[in-house]
Amino acid sequence: MRKFLAIPAMAALISGCGIIEVRPVPPTISNLETQATFCTDRDTIVDFRFDAKGLITKLEVWVTEPGVSDPSADPANKAGELDAFDLFSNGPKLVGFIALDTNGDNKVQRKGQALPAIVVTPTEKQVWIRGYNLDQTNGFVKASSTMLPSTASDCDPIFPYGQP
């Protein structure tokens, strides 16, 4: 009987409050990891993985020189945006990739498709991501390590299945 009385009481309280605003909760992203090296003599598909809590509707990926505190200060640092369906799950972690262009044509070929890419110079790079739930974000998350430029044959490791 108390349950039936509680429903009208809650309805009266809510209606007396006026407007109720419902806002999406921003996702929480942590433990961002990237591969250890990227190629300077050919294009590289840079893999990354991270832990996430909450709904991610869009993910921005940025690549900067180490020591940068705000990657959005230079729009050229933005590598691209991924929709939630571009990410896939690797156990408890989410995994994605971006393309780095070292020959300057602003496209990277992968399985016959031209991917949009960020043109990079052969210096150390730092990967950042920023997740959104609609228009809500908790801000940038920086990868735990930097990527080193390399011309070795294994400069584009098979991460996340190998060692980052």
Side-chain angles (χ1 to χ4, degrees), residues 8 12 14 30 34 45 62 67 77 81 94 103 107 114 129 140 146 152:
I14 291 172
S30 60
T34 60
I45 303 296
W62 299 70
N77 292 331
E81 293 180 4
L94 290 175
N103 65 8
K107 293 287 180 188
I129 61 174
F140 286 104
T146 58

Side-chain angles (χ1 to χ4, degrees), residues 27 54-59 82-85 131-136:
L55 178 64
I56 297 175
T57 57
K58 177 179 76 173
L59 187 77
L82 303 175
D83 292 325
F85 53 82
Y132 287 85
N133 179 2
L134 301 177
D135 64 345
Q136 299 297 306

Side-chain angles (χ1 to χ4, degrees), residues 2-93:
R2 285 186 173 189
K3 288 182 185 178
F4 293 117
L5 293 175
I7 293 172
M10 286 298 290
L13 278 173
I14 291 172
S15 66
C17 292
I19 297 173
I20 297 176
E21 183 178 357
V22 178
R23 299 189 72 172
V25 177
T28 302
I29 296 174
S30 60
N31 302 321
L32 174 61
E33 301 171 287
T34 60
Q35 61 196 49
T37 58
F38 69 96
C39 304
T40 57
D41 60 343
R42 60 189 181 276
D43 295 331
T44 302
I45 303 296
V46 174
D47 301 303
F48 59 87
R49 65 182 173 192
F50 59 93
D51 296 322
K53 292 180 182 167
L55 178 64
I56 297 175
T57 57
K58 177 179 76 173
L59 187 77
E60 292 178 346
V61 183
W62 299 70
V63 178
T64 68
E65 304 293 323
V68 170
S69 60
D70 179 9
S72 65
D74 182 356
N77 292 331
K78 188 172 183 179
E81 293 180 4
L82 303 175
D83 292 325
F85 53 82
D86 292 333
L87 301 171
F88 62 95
S89 179
N90 180 29
K93 294 192 175 284

